[in-house]
Amino acid sequence: MTRTYDSRKRILVTGGAGFLGSHLCDRLLAQGHEVLCVDNLFTGNKRNIYHLHSNPLFEFMRHDVTFPLYIEVDEIYNLACPASPVHYQHDPVQTTKTSVLGAINMLGLAKRLKCKVLQASTSEVYGDPLVHPQTETYWGNVNPLGPRSCYDEGKRCAETLFFDYHRQIGLEIKVARIFNTYGPRMHEADGRVVSNFVVQALGGDPITIFGDGQQTRSFCYVDDLVDGLIRLMETDQTVTGPINLGNPVEFTIRELAEAVLKLTDSKAQLVFSDLPADDPRQRRPDITLAQQELNWNPKIELNDGLPETISYFRKLLAEL
């Protein structure tokens, strides 16, 4: 799509060198916008955006969102925060600061610029849910003192800040609650179940399943998720969210492991380990609101998205 100078937006993507952020940068550039990618590269990686540096509409800035940012943009996508337990538990204090101070700084920037700002929240705000599937009206079952709290409560506080800015000064906000997302550019050592299983299978290592493998997750391919984020940002000011974005098709962890083994043609064995503290037993989004407000439905099934993800990791591991 070719945009004129008048229709082109300058868009900030924090966390833009990460898994989700880099795909979002791709899509926004393909739409003809200018993109300012901001990342401190704690979990993001330059290889995710290397292919974009020759694009004159793309700019990268190394910056930590816990510090203010003095720039001029038309829209803000705030994706900055470690999103896997391995990474967000590495420095839990910094994780909370990234969610809370990052939200404060991006909201302050949006207030000054009078522009839309989207918060990438998470299904983790529901904790270990007592309601299934999870709707946006559910307040959650979160342990505020556990090892996952830095992320869960940090994201919950960020949502609070977004809605208080909206109520207090009328700031135009969008809040997306993102459920398990997978695809190319996932970090090979992020500890998330899809990347874990694929890397282990390709390496011929045993597939490690925590618990009995009967806990469930719903897996959304990254292209579908990015489409949902952009559709949410493009809604009018009456739509604030929170809106669940995820694939409502539910799989047990054991089913995922068996699918990965089949697609990689691996003979690796399944091994079972203790379930981590506060690990949710069930996770599936109710996406009725996204269907109604965004006309959004995920299109890519797990059997179609997994081969793309496996192909990415096969190439990556060969290069490492």
Side-chain angles (χ1 to χ4, degrees):
M1 179 178 181
T2 302
R3 289 185 180 271
T4 65
Y5 179 80
D6 289 340
S7 66
R8 178 180 295 154
K9 296 175 184 175
R10 179 167 166 80
I11 301 175
L12 167 63
V13 179
T14 71
F19 163 49
L20 283 180
S22 62
H23 283 278
L24 178 60
C25 289
D26 284 347
R27 189 76 63 86
L28 294 172
L29 287 164
Q31 291 181 343
H33 299 297
E34 292 184 46
V35 172
L36 172 59
C37 167
V38 167
D39 205 300
N40 68 352
L41 301 179
F42 173 61
T43 57
N45 196 302
K46 287 183 178 179
R47 70 169 176 251
N48 292 337
I49 54 172
Y50 182 77
H51 63 290
L52 298 177
H53 285 289
S54 60
N55 189 326
L57 298 179
F58 178 77
E59 179 182 355
F60 172 71
M61 177 188 297
R62 187 163 185 167
H63 179 83
D64 189 323
V65 295
T66 62
F67 297 94
L69 193 57
Y70 302 101
I71 56 171
E72 306 294 321
V73 293
D74 302 304
E75 288 179 350
I76 302 168
Y77 288 84
N78 185 35
L79 275 62
C81 189
S84 73
V86 167
H87 290 146
Y88 65 63
Q89 291 173 1
H90 174 73
D91 189 345
V93 172
Q94 185 63 24
T95 295
T96 303
K97 289 170 70 176
T98 300
S99 286
V100 177
L101 295 178
I104 289 171
N105 286 328
M106 291 306 106
L107 287 162
L109 179 61
K111 176 184 176 182
R112 178 176 69 81
L113 298 175
K114 297 181 174 60
C115 72
K116 294 181 184 180
V117 56
L118 183 147
Q119 168 67 6
S121 190
T122 171
S123 60
E124 297 294 338
V125 301
Y126 299 121
D128 188 4
L130 303 177
V131 171
H132 191 75
Q134 293 80 57
T135 64
E136 292 86 352
T137 55
Y138 177 50
W139 291 354
N141 177 41
V142 177
N143 177 3
L145 305 177
R148 302 171 70 103
S149 305
C150 57
Y151 185 68
D152 301 2
E153 297 288 30
K155 289 289 191 177
R156 285 163 68 94
C157 184
E159 286 196 15
T160 300
L161 286 162
F162 265 69
F163 278 91
D164 282 339
Y165 265 76
H166 174 67
R167 284 186 290 260
Q168 189 168 328
I169 66 169
L171 189 66
E172 191 168 356
I173 65 165
K174 312 290 177 183
V175 176
R177 289 180 177 164
I178 298 171
F179 283 67
N180 294 68
T181 306
Y182 72 100
R185 301 184 201 158
M186 294 184 79
H187 196 289
E188 68 277 6
D190 68 4
R192 285 189 269 198
V193 66
V194 172
S195 52
N196 267 6
F197 287 179
V198 171
V199 170
Q200 288 171 339
L202 291 175
D205 299 319
I207 303 294
T208 305
I209 295 178
F210 295 105
D212 59 8
Q214 294 308 302
Q215 65 270 37
T216 66
R217 295 293 184 271
S218 305
F219 300 103
C220 185
Y221 192 66
V222 62
D223 289 355
D224 283 333
L225 194 283
V226 167
D227 181 53
L229 291 176
I230 292 174
R231 284 173 183 249
L232 177 56
M233 180 64 95
E234 290 177 347
T235 56
D236 65 33
Q237 60 187 2
T238 64
V239 179
T240 60
I243 289 184
N244 290 337
L245 293 178
N247 194 317
V249 179
E250 196 171 7
F251 295 88
T252 68
I253 296 302
R254 180 158 191 152
E255 286 173 334
L256 174 67
E258 291 169 349
V260 169
L261 288 174
K262 180 179 179 181
L263 289 168
T264 56
D265 197 27
S266 172
K267 306 303 181 185
Q269 300 297 307
L270 302 182
V271 297
F272 295 84
S273 185
D274 292 338
L275 198 66
D278 301 326
D279 195 59
R281 294 291 304 179
Q282 292 181 305
R283 185 62 60 74
R284 176 162 68 93
D286 183 316
I287 62 168
T288 303
L289 195 58
Q291 292 168 330
Q292 293 172 345
E293 299 288 357
L294 312 180
N295 192 28
W296 179 83
N297 273 294
K299 300 175 182 177
I300 301 170
E301 297 181 358
L302 189 65
N303 285 338
D304 296 319
L306 269 181
E308 295 293 325
T309 308
I310 290 167
S311 177
Y312 167 78
F313 277 114
R314 197 185 298 276
K315 181 180 178 183
L316 177 66
L317 294 175
E319 294 172 350
L320 293 179

